[in-house]
Amino acid sequence: MELFFEPNDQIAWDSLISVKNKHDNNSKNKSFLASSTGKGIADIDSNVLCAAISGKNALTSYYYMLNTNKRWRYTTPRRDLPILSTQMPSSSVSRVLIIGAGPTGLLMGCLMRDQGMPVTIIEKREEITRTRCVKLLGEVLSSDELTGGIHLFSENQVEERQKAIDSIQSTLFEKLTSWLELCTPLQTIQKSLQEYFVSSGGQIAIGAQYDISKNLDLLGHYPDTLIIDCTGYHSVLRNRIQPDNLNLRLIEYVLICTFTFDERYECNELCKYYKNKNTRKFRVIPAIDDTYKTGKRQTLVTCLITIDEPIFRAMPKRDLITYSYLKNHQRDIYDDLTIFLNNMSSGQLNKIHFDSMEFIALPLQVYRAKKITHKVVNQNLNQHWVLLGDAAMGGPYFQSISMGYEAAIYLAYIVQQMQNDMEQMMMKYESYMEKLWLALQIRSKDIQRNKQILQYLCANDRNAILEKIKVY
Ligand SMILES: Cc1cc2nc3c(=O)[nH]c(=O)nc-3n(C[C@H](O)[C@H](O)[C@H](O)COP(=O)(O)OP(=O)(O)OC[C@H]3O[C@@H](n4cnc5c(N)ncnc54)[C@H](O)[C@@H]3O)c2cc1C
């Protein structure tokens, strides 16, 4: 036995694998220490706390004398302690597997390929069919616009975030910049990222056989791998990391409706409510930006109409929903949509061409998985799992893709920096995502309040407006 005295607390509490538990009367001190480290600690007698860390060839035990405030440790060869002799798997990875080729998975793939990592993306859907238009928020490519002046992130995190943005390759950066400026169909974004990914040497495997939820064993073929779950709101790995993993959620049922308008269409937060003037029950909320198709002055508009759950449940499959279907089966929705379209086009309904209509359930709240990283403890596998994009968290008001991109840019950077220490990397990522979630929460509350004020304004409800306006 070797005996050392520790001059200061150098204990890697996060690596503790074993504690010896014995009843203690001195519970006040015990609970203080346990909470200050956040890890399990037990005593060997009423005055001493003990914990053990298993290293490669030895087991090191740490003791803490409560009444003298002294710590010491001793090391014994591992052969004396067979129960604790689990071999620590390596903490480095040699490749990346991304599950899900949605917007976040594809961007993550591109970023990792640009760092020279071998990357495979697997995707269950054969085709990209998303017609909706999205516009990225400025936050994605700037560390100045984080939370409207509220300092949630540490200086170190802001610095890392800026370095992460600076490390994006110029071609990819230009693509992202163009999606900040203009509302772009999601399909276009995904196709463009997919092309970039493949041309930079990334591998993509598409087809029903890659549906990981039906074939989790597939992951067994990927030792020494960082596995990034980008499978969206119904994440495949989330419940395996920690069952019942979502915080409270709230669903909004909506009819999403996209159409082209043969004129320039401009809108902002205020006028999108004004365009609902004279609607009776249903408000049609358009995306607040415009898109031009090349060559022709034409705008692609995406609108959401909130509906009640019973209407949603009673709806047929999406292929059947058309403007004339609404006319015959959902007259109230049809009438309010027509009023909105008239307001929007100044009566030029002939310039509106419907593209698609779909009833969907939207997660409305800022939801967040409580835990988003996981290490597979299996000697042969050495996998590190990370949730990203909607799988990790999401936000209302068209912010989710931006949030997913902010997270992907940061994650790609810290993976590159800490390729040999995935455990540290995952801790960093958890801490960063906690802040990102708070930022999203603050932003959403702001948007929600403004939205309500504008809705009351449209309804000319002065009392309600006054109640919502806060004087600081
Ligand atoms: C109507 C509507 C409008 C929206 N508008 C906006 C907007 O304007 N701005 C905005 O920022 N956000 C918007 N959002 C939200 C945005 O679409 C999502 O936040 C975004 O798509 C999330 O990207 P993701 O890559 O994390 O997940 P997803 O886009 O959900 O992609 C997940 C991918 O994983 C694949 N997958 C799933 N399960 C498996 C499996 N078991 N095995 C293999 N592959 C799997 C899926 O096929 C899919 O391709 C909108 C959402 C909706 C529904």
Side-chain angles (χ1 to χ4, degrees):
M1 179 192 293
E2 280 178 276
L3 192 65
F4 313 77
F5 279 90
E6 282 275 276
N8 52 29
D9 185 351
Q10 295 291 328
I11 301 169
W13 295 104
D14 287 311
S15 311
L16 294 182
I17 58 157
S18 167
V19 288
K20 201 172 169 188
N21 206 344
K22 199 175 163 191
H23 185 67
D24 168 30
N25 296 328
N26 198 351
S27 57
K28 196 171 162 215
N29 281 331
K30 184 179 163 187
S31 66
F32 165 72
L33 278 162
S35 63
S36 67
T37 61
K39 293 286 164 187
I41 298 177
D43 57 311
I44 53 170
D45 71 42
S46 59
N47 285 319
V48 180
L49 294 175
C50 156
I53 294 179
S54 172
K56 210 168 182 186
N57 302 311
L59 179 105
T60 306
S61 299
Y62 291 91
Y63 291 91
Y64 187 98
M65 184 81 86
L66 292 172
N67 48 9
T68 62
N69 234 12
K70 276 191 180 153
R71 307 170 186 90
W72 73 93
R73 73 169 198 239
Y74 77 86
T75 305
T76 38
R78 285 179 59 138
R79 63 186 181 301
D80 297 343
L81 294 143
I83 302 163
L84 295 167
S85 67
T86 44
Q87 200 186 340
M88 284 280 221
S90 151
S91 187
S92 58
V93 292
S94 55
R95 61 176 156 176
V96 178
L97 173 71
I98 296 172
I99 317 172
T104 317
L106 286 167
L107 177 66
M108 190 66 202
C110 297
L111 292 164
M112 297 306 306
R113 268 311 301 148
D114 280 346
Q115 292 173 13
M117 278 292 256
V119 187
T120 305
I121 300 183
I122 52 178
E123 165 61 51
K124 67 174 182 181
R125 273 198 296 199
E126 306 272 352
E127 261 184 284
I128 307 173
T129 50
R130 289 159 158 176
T131 47
R132 63 177 172 269
C133 281
V134 298
K135 185 177 174 194
L136 301 184
L137 300 177
E139 283 85 341
V140 173
L141 294 179
S142 159
S143 55
D144 298 336
E145 297 184 45
L146 281 179
T147 32
I150 301 171
H151 301 292
L152 290 174
F153 293 85
S154 69
E155 260 177 44
N156 194 25
Q157 282 170 328
V158 176
E159 205 175 294
E160 275 175 336
R161 185 190 165 99
Q162 190 53 52
K163 284 185 183 157
I165 294 168
D166 294 344
S167 71
I168 303 172
Q169 297 287 317
S170 56
T171 319
L172 191 56
F173 194 90
E174 275 162 30
K175 280 184 193 294
L176 291 168
T177 311
S178 70
W179 301 328
L180 290 182
E181 284 159 8
L182 207 63
C183 225
T184 313
L186 192 48
Q187 236 184 77
T188 311
I189 294 181
Q190 288 190 223
K191 280 192 179 143
S192 167
L193 288 176
Q194 189 165 327
E195 275 164 27
Y196 185 94
F197 176 70
V198 172
S199 67
S200 60
Q203 286 188 332
I204 186 157
I206 300 176
Q209 69 273 34
Y210 296 105
D211 183 342
I212 279 289
S213 64
K214 295 191 183 127
N215 189 9
L216 205 65
D217 293 345
L218 204 67
L219 295 187
H221 299 295
Y222 292 88
D224 303 317
T225 304
L226 173 64
I227 296 188
I228 307 179
D229 178 350
C230 296
T231 53
Y233 185 66
H234 300 286
S235 154
V236 281
L237 297 185
R238 192 167 51 218
N239 281 345
R240 288 176 176 85
I241 290 180
Q242 192 184 352
D244 186 23
N245 208 295
L246 275 186
N247 281 344
L248 261 185
R249 62 203 162 117
L250 188 69
I251 298 287
E252 183 172 288
Y253 299 97
V254 295
L255 169 63
I256 175 164
C257 165
T258 56
F259 56 86
T260 49
F261 174 45
D262 295 341
E263 288 290 335
R264 182 175 182 146
Y265 160 79
E266 275 180 301
C267 196
N268 61 32
E269 276 290 335
L270 182 69
C271 81
K272 74 182 183 188
Y273 292 97
Y274 180 72
K275 288 183 172 116
N276 277 285
K277 203 174 170 193
N278 300 329
T279 50
R280 284 182 285 262
K281 181 169 175 206
F282 295 97
R283 310 276 177 254
V284 184
I285 307 298
I288 57 168
D289 285 287
D290 60 355
T291 312
Y292 290 101
K293 285 195 171 170
T294 36
K296 202 154 102 178
R297 179 158 247 188
Q298 196 185 38
T299 313
L300 185 58
V301 186
T302 305
C303 299
L304 297 183
I305 304 170
T306 305
I307 53 165
D308 297 333
E309 190 179 347
I311 300 185
F312 177 79
R313 300 269 167 236
M315 282 301 143
K317 289 210 169 67
R318 62 179 270 199
D319 303 351
L320 301 175
I321 312 292
T322 57
Y323 193 46
S324 53
Y325 172 89
L326 292 180
K327 187 174 181 181
N328 297 326
H329 296 91
Q330 292 291 337
R331 192 65 201 214
D332 288 350
I333 300 180
Y334 172 85
D335 286 345
D336 281 341
L337 179 58
T338 308
I339 292 169
F340 167 85
L341 294 173
N342 265 312
N343 287 343
M344 195 207 91
S345 64
S346 311
Q348 305 174 84
L349 285 181
N350 60 329
K351 292 192 171 173
I352 289 171
H353 313 285
F354 281 99
D355 182 23
S356 68
M357 284 196 193
E358 192 184 347
F359 283 94
I360 54 163
L362 277 178
L364 186 69
Q365 223 173 17
V366 181
Y367 71 88
R368 172 178 66 115
K370 290 173 205 146
K371 190 165 180 344
I372 52 172
T373 60
H374 172 71
K375 180 179 168 182
V376 177
V377 186
N378 173 333
Q379 287 187 0
N380 303 321
L381 220 45
N382 179 34
Q383 279 179 356
H384 293 80
W385 293 3
V386 171
L387 304 182
L388 178 67
D390 272 18
M393 65 165 133
Y397 313 119
F398 308 125
Q399 304 181 76
S400 305
I401 295 184
S402 301
M403 189 283 307
Y405 280 9
E406 282 180 72
I409 292 167
Y410 181 77
L411 178 63
Y413 177 74
I414 57 171
V415 169
Q416 182 198 33
Q417 297 295 308
M418 310 177 84
Q419 212 168 325
N420 295 323
D421 193 350
M422 284 291 114
E423 264 109 283
Q424 280 293 326
M425 184 286 291
M426 294 198 307
M427 278 165 60
K428 241 179 196 299
Y429 180 62
E430 291 264 4
S431 148
Y432 185 82
M433 290 295 276
E434 177 85 25
K435 306 271 182 77
L436 200 57
W437 174 75
L438 278 171
L440 192 71
Q441 180 106 306
I442 291 170
R443 226 155 48 201
S444 301
K445 288 269 170 220
D446 248 11
I447 297 174
Q448 200 169 37
R449 196 169 60 92
N450 289 343
K451 182 172 166 242
Q452 284 168 347
I453 291 172
L454 289 164
Q455 271 168 336
Y456 294 140
L457 207 73
C458 289
N460 207 14
D461 184 345
R462 292 176 190 202
N463 288 338
I465 298 169
L466 284 175
E467 262 172 40
K468 276 285 152 199
I469 292 177
K470 293 198 178 93
V471 179
Y472 291 94

